[in-house]
Amino acid sequence: MIYLDNAATSFPKPKTVSAAMIDYLENVGASPGRSGHHLAAAAGRILFQTRKALTRLFKLNDPGRIIFSENATAALNLALFGLLLPGDRVLVSGLEHNSVMRPLRRLEEIHRITIDILPGTPTSHYDLKLMAHWCEQKKYRLAVINQGSNVIGSLAPLSTMLPLLKEYNIISVVDGAQSAGAHPLDLGTLDPDIFCFTGHKSLFGPPGTGGLYLKAGIEPQPLIYGGTGSRSETEQQPEFLPDRYESGTPNTVGLAGLKAGLEFIEETGLENIIAHEKILAETLRHNLREIPGLTLYEPRSDDEKLPVVSFTLAGLSCSEIGSRLGRDFTIMTRVGLHCAPRAHQNIGTLPQGTVRLSPGYFNNTEEITEVIRAITIIAGGHNA
Amino acid sequence: MPEIIMPEDIKIDPQALELYLIFHSIHNVMLAEELLLDADIQVDMIPVPRELSSDCGMSLACRLSDLDKIRVNLGKVTFTSEVMIYRCKKGDAKCAGDFQLLLTV
């Protein structure tokens, strides 16, 4: 079996991830911040150390500004529903995921917000000149930028886009679901207002983990209210972080796994993980380009890319290709629109979508060779 | 409930942890614990005294003699909520309701 669906969720995880989760369930078990015994303290330390590991990975200073949520979608919902007001105007890139577009469409219905979608140019997915013009003219309250596309692996030029947003006092929300752990991040320097991430992709954590970084001064209204273990005498939600946004018993078992995933990245070296994945993705791209009838969908610029490779084959539907890869070669891929119809509209693959290959750290070159062979066979109309 | 009679020969430890550090958020408790331990300050994580806070979680107990070091070290980081440092005036474990707020960070 060859798993090439790491852009959906990374698999396998490092062995230490499941070991940490089992250790929590068997030896800790308690709820952090709710009780005064040593097991509750141990649970509290798991959350604290996970926040610290994220702070180190993202090159931030204050672990108290890392808020946990169940995934990047929940984090994005907090940012958008928590900040946007009736009549607000929002700018988004043309590669956004439905985790951004669906909350925004709902806000368009209930708050009559206005959504502008930044087009691309022949050489970039982001028309930065037009963006500068719009930022000056249109009085945006907030902008969302998908840092790394889950369809073609392109990376947004944040170092150009974020200062532009700051210049016009536009709140910047970066969707890092695909990029966190797959690309070097220096949020201390980039200085976004909000950065949303998920734990279960390139951070090697289990599903059900994720969160956001909130810059000081950015204060969305919470979406969930309830018990936090703090200020229990009042029925008002606490104002301080992270409690303000973390009501209810947290997913400590999941965060124990995420902590182990982050430690695996630190021990292995993020640069080594990225370099390995890049070799696998470039090997795929280089060889797929040579297959007759295959269209490869690549970022328009030659800048750094994520290990996400999308293609179609003339005369075959994506679902047929994916089905054959799975059935005949036990190669796990994802086909279709990848919850990002806007991105597929951008690259001209609606409504069919693409076949997406997303190698991860635990894939090897032998597997990639086998995948290329399998696609070559399918493209040639041969049986396995 | 029967009254608990303490043995007459029990000694009060002159190094008793008389200071109680109250944080509200468990995140800040963990942050302070790590900070103070790194500075070689004795720290005991204990349930929040009910007399001091309605928080459900943990607080830190420290030695009174370390107060200045504690103040300096807590000032090195940003806490997301206020930190209150109390002294138990009687200096032993039977001082419920007898706390003095020394400072807020």
Side-chain angles (χ1 to χ4, degrees):
Chain A
M1 189 274 285
I2 300 173
Y3 183 83
L4 281 191
D5 198 13
N6 289 277
T9 196
S10 58
F11 178 78
K13 309 292 185 189
K15 296 286 185 197
T16 49
V17 171
S18 51
M21 296 173 76
I22 291 168
D23 181 63
Y24 167 78
L25 289 171
E26 293 186 348
N27 300 314
V28 181
S31 187
R34 267 62 174 182
S35 308
H37 49 74
H38 76 278
L39 292 178
R45 287 191 190 96
I46 289 171
L47 268 60
F48 177 66
Q49 294 300 336
T50 309
R51 281 186 231 277
K52 281 192 67 178
L54 287 162
T55 304
R56 288 193 297 273
L57 181 69
F58 296 158
K59 294 186 167 50
L60 294 164
N61 294 319
D62 185 357
R65 306 208 69 83
I66 300 284
I67 312 298
F68 291 130
S69 64
E70 57 265 47
N71 45 45
T73 300
L76 287 160
N77 270 262
L78 170 58
L80 299 176
F81 280 95
L83 284 169
L84 288 172
L85 301 170
D88 279 345
R89 191 166 200 123
V90 176
L91 176 66
V92 298
S93 84
L95 292 171
E96 298 305 322
H97 191 274
N98 271 345
S99 56
V100 169
M101 296 311 298
R102 286 182 175 173
L104 287 178
R105 292 302 179 199
R106 178 61 180 154
L107 285 161
E108 189 177 40
E109 289 173 4
I110 62 173
H111 282 345
R112 300 210 173 277
I113 67 163
T114 304
I115 305 165
D116 288 337
I117 297 167
L118 184 69
T121 69
T123 56
S124 169
H125 293 284
Y126 315 90
D127 187 337
L128 297 177
K129 199 172 169 186
L130 182 64
M131 180 178 168
H133 178 67
W134 280 4
C135 286
E136 186 182 0
Q137 299 290 321
K138 295 202 176 190
K139 300 193 185 313
Y140 292 116
R141 172 116 193 286
L142 181 149
V144 188
I145 304 169
N146 182 352
Q147 186 182 12
S149 167
N150 68 319
V151 177
I152 53 174
S154 60
L155 283 158
L158 291 185
S159 57
T160 304
M161 300 172 96
L162 293 180
L164 185 61
L165 298 173
K166 186 180 286 188
E167 182 182 344
Y168 292 98
N169 293 318
I170 300 164
I171 299 170
S172 56
V173 178
V174 176
D175 175 3
Q178 214 63 46
S179 54
H183 182 67
L185 274 174
D186 185 346
L187 296 186
T189 301
L190 287 170
D191 198 25
D193 291 313
I194 296 178
F195 180 83
C196 301
F197 61 92
T198 192
H200 69 97
K201 297 190 183 196
S202 294
L203 301 183
F204 296 114
T209 57
L212 70 164
Y213 155 71
L214 274 183
K215 185 179 170 181
I218 303 296
E219 298 174 350
Q221 287 298 312
L223 302 189
I224 305 290
Y225 294 77
T228 58
S230 51
R231 294 277 193 199
S232 297
E233 80 282 9
T234 172
E235 294 182 348
Q236 302 301 314
Q237 190 75 359
E239 294 290 321
F240 47 82
L241 303 186
D243 303 37
R244 179 168 170 77
Y245 302 106
E246 293 185 356
S247 293
T249 300
N251 178 14
T252 311
V253 60
L255 293 170
L258 176 59
K259 173 173 167 285
L262 293 163
E263 288 165 352
F264 175 81
I265 293 172
E266 288 185 331
E267 288 158 11
T268 308
L270 180 63
E271 66 284 1
N272 295 327
I273 293 171
I274 292 170
H276 178 71
E277 293 176 347
K278 182 179 179 179
I279 288 171
L280 302 181
E282 285 306 310
T283 303
L284 274 171
R285 288 190 180 104
H286 179 77
N287 285 277
L288 293 182
R289 283 190 203 105
E290 305 301 316
I291 297 176
L294 186 146
T295 302
L296 192 61
Y297 299 91
E298 299 187 76
R300 289 177 196 161
S301 70
D302 290 329
D303 295 340
E304 290 293 304
K305 311 173 184 73
L306 298 180
V308 176
V309 179
S310 264
F311 73 94
T312 55
L313 276 174
L316 279 177
S317 71
C318 292
S319 53
E320 172 66 14
I321 300 165
S323 174
R324 289 202 54 196
L325 284 170
R327 185 187 62 223
D328 299 342
F329 302 94
T330 60
I331 296 169
M332 310 294 129
T333 64
R334 181 168 171 185
V335 302
L337 298 180
H338 315 100
C339 295
R342 179 65 50 184
H344 281 280
Q345 184 178 336
N346 194 316
I347 64 172
T349 48
L350 274 181
Q352 180 79 227
T354 58
V355 181
R356 186 182 70 185
L357 312 173
S358 49
Y361 183 70
F362 293 106
N363 290 120
N364 56 48
T365 50
E366 289 76 20
E367 290 176 327
I368 297 302
T369 301
E370 177 62 19
V371 171
I372 294 164
R373 188 183 76 83
I375 296 171
T376 303
I377 290 171
I378 294 170
H382 306 297
N383 292 322
Chain B
M1 180 176 288
E3 184 182 354
I4 297 173
I5 301 169
M6 301 295 290
E8 288 181 0
D9 61 346
I10 192 167
K11 297 281 192 296
I12 294 176
D13 180 1
Q15 295 298 316
L17 303 176
E18 293 180 48
L19 291 182
Y20 290 79
L21 281 59
I22 307 296
F23 297 87
H24 298 311
S25 173
I26 188 68
H27 170 75
N28 291 332
V29 178
M30 298 299 164
L31 179 61
E33 182 197 40
E34 185 179 80
L35 194 70
L36 299 181
L37 287 174
D38 285 349
D40 289 327
I41 297 169
Q42 187 181 346
V43 174
D44 192 11
M45 191 174 285
I46 59 168
V48 176
R50 306 311 305 162
E51 296 78 10
L52 298 182
S53 170
S54 63
D55 295 340
C56 304
M58 317 293 291
S59 58
L60 300 181
C62 300
R63 290 178 181 169
L64 181 61
S65 56
D66 284 331
L67 179 60
D68 283 342
K69 283 169 68 180
I70 291 168
R71 184 165 46 193
V72 168
N73 279 281
L74 293 186
K76 292 178 180 174
V77 298
T78 305
F79 290 96
T80 59
S81 60
E82 65 182 359
V83 182
M84 289 164 291
I85 302 179
Y86 289 87
R87 181 186 178 191
C88 176
K89 286 190 230 172
K90 291 184 180 173
D92 65 14
K94 296 178 286 182
C95 60
D98 199 2
F99 294 92
Q100 174 191 8
L101 178 62
L102 297 182
L103 62 101
T104 301
V105 178

